[in-house]
Each structure stands twice: as C-alpha cells, then as structure tokens.
Amino acid sequence: AEDGIREFCLSRGLGDVYKRQGLTLLGWAALIFFPQRFVAAAPDLGRWVPIAVSLLYVALFFAFFERAPAGTAFTSLGGLTLAFSVPEMVLVGWLHYLAVDLLLGLWQLRDSRSVGISHAYMVPILLLTCIAAPIGFLAYQLLRTVYLYSLNLQSSMTMGSGPDVGH
C-alpha cells in the first residue's frame, strides 16, 4: 500500500498533492461561516475534515519516511532540519500542522459555545488560529478568561453584593 501511495503522489507530483490540502480551507470556512451547523446540527461533521487530513498525513508519513536522510531525528534541531530537507517530509509536516490547527479551531468553537461567547468574537480568533495556532490559542484563552470574569462580576453585582472591598 505504501508503494502505491508513494507512486501515486510522485506520478501526480507533490505540488498536486499539496494543492489538495486546500480541503482544510473548507473546514475553516465551515467553522467561521456555519458554526451552528458545524457544531450543533451535525457534531460529527466537524471531525471529518481533520480526519481526512490526518489519514492523508498517515499515508504520506509511512510512504515517504524512508526518504528522510540518515541522521534524521526529532530529538535535535540538526536531525529535524535533515528530515525537512526532503520535500516529501515538508509536505508531511505541513499536513501535520493543518490537521492539528483545524482540531484546535474546532475545540475553540465548541468551547466558546459551551460558555456562551458570541461567534462574532470568535471569528478573529479562528482566523488567527488558522494562521498562527499558538497565538490564536493564547488569544482565545485571554478572551475566555476575560469573558468568564466579566460574567462573574456581572453576576455578583446583579445580586446586589458588588465586589468585596475588604469590609
């Protein structure tokens, strides 16, 4: 099976396989433009795009890992640089990022809905996560913390107690 996948990718060209990763854009578009359908109406739909990308990743990883040069290792920067000196492994690494980033976006959307954050606030967070996932993750954590704090503050003020000032 690995040989068939490898031959298919090489006969089509890695660039053609790379273009097919645009499938993840469908996942991001669904998260941004159709969040209700993506999360509530069809909860399993949100998993299918990352599953498809992950399956492609696994197939290419096993098909091309043998092309990584001797000395490839994920335990040192030099070994990692060697791994990514091969275009096939760059593609495998890129698919890894795409799958994990989309899963993070899906988690953020589901979590934001569970705590009541407006989708309007989530759109820039999701775009940021799509472009730079660690920054999007931190931005979401900040938004979530501020949102929950403001809810807690509003709740205590609504009950007439106000914040404790040391009385």
Side-chain angles (χ1 to χ4, degrees):
E2 291 174 17
D3 290 336
I5 293 166
R6 186 179 317 112
E7 292 309 313
F8 173 78
C9 291
L10 294 175
S11 70
R12 301 290 303 242
L14 289 179
D16 190 49
V17 175
Y18 175 81
K19 289 177 191 173
R20 298 190 191 287
Q21 56 83 29
L23 172 67
T24 59
L25 293 178
L26 294 175
W28 284 107
L31 286 175
I32 292 168
F33 297 113
F34 308 107
Q36 184 63 29
R37 287 190 189 143
F38 205 68
V39 174
D44 288 336
L45 178 63
R47 295 189 328 209
W48 288 111
V49 174
I51 286 172
V53 175
S54 296
L55 287 171
L56 180 58
Y57 166 83
V58 168
L60 294 179
F61 180 86
F62 287 110
F64 290 125
F65 191 75
E66 68 185 30
R67 290 180 175 241
T72 292
F74 298 109
T75 57
S76 71
L77 184 57
L80 190 60
T81 302
L82 269 175
F84 290 119
S85 67
V86 177
E88 294 88 350
M89 293 307 292
V90 172
L91 179 60
V92 168
W94 181 242
L95 290 171
H96 177 275
Y97 277 103
L98 293 175
V100 172
D101 290 1
L102 188 56
L103 285 169
L104 176 59
L106 177 62
W107 172 81
Q108 288 172 324
L109 182 60
R110 288 182 175 175
D111 186 68
S112 70
R113 295 182 72 77
S114 74
V115 297
I117 297 173
S118 167
H119 189 68
Y121 292 121
M122 288 306 299
V123 170
I125 298 289
L126 291 170
L127 290 171
L128 191 54
T129 301
C130 178
I131 295 166
I135 298 170
F137 173 74
L138 291 173
Y140 177 66
Q141 292 303 308
L142 179 62
L143 171 66
R144 187 181 197 280
T145 301
V146 168
Y147 177 77
L148 292 176
Y149 178 78
S150 70
L151 280 182
N152 189 27
L153 190 60
Q154 286 176 359
S155 174
S156 65
M157 290 185 158
T158 310
M159 300 180 108
S161 61
D164 182 17
V165 289
H167 291 232

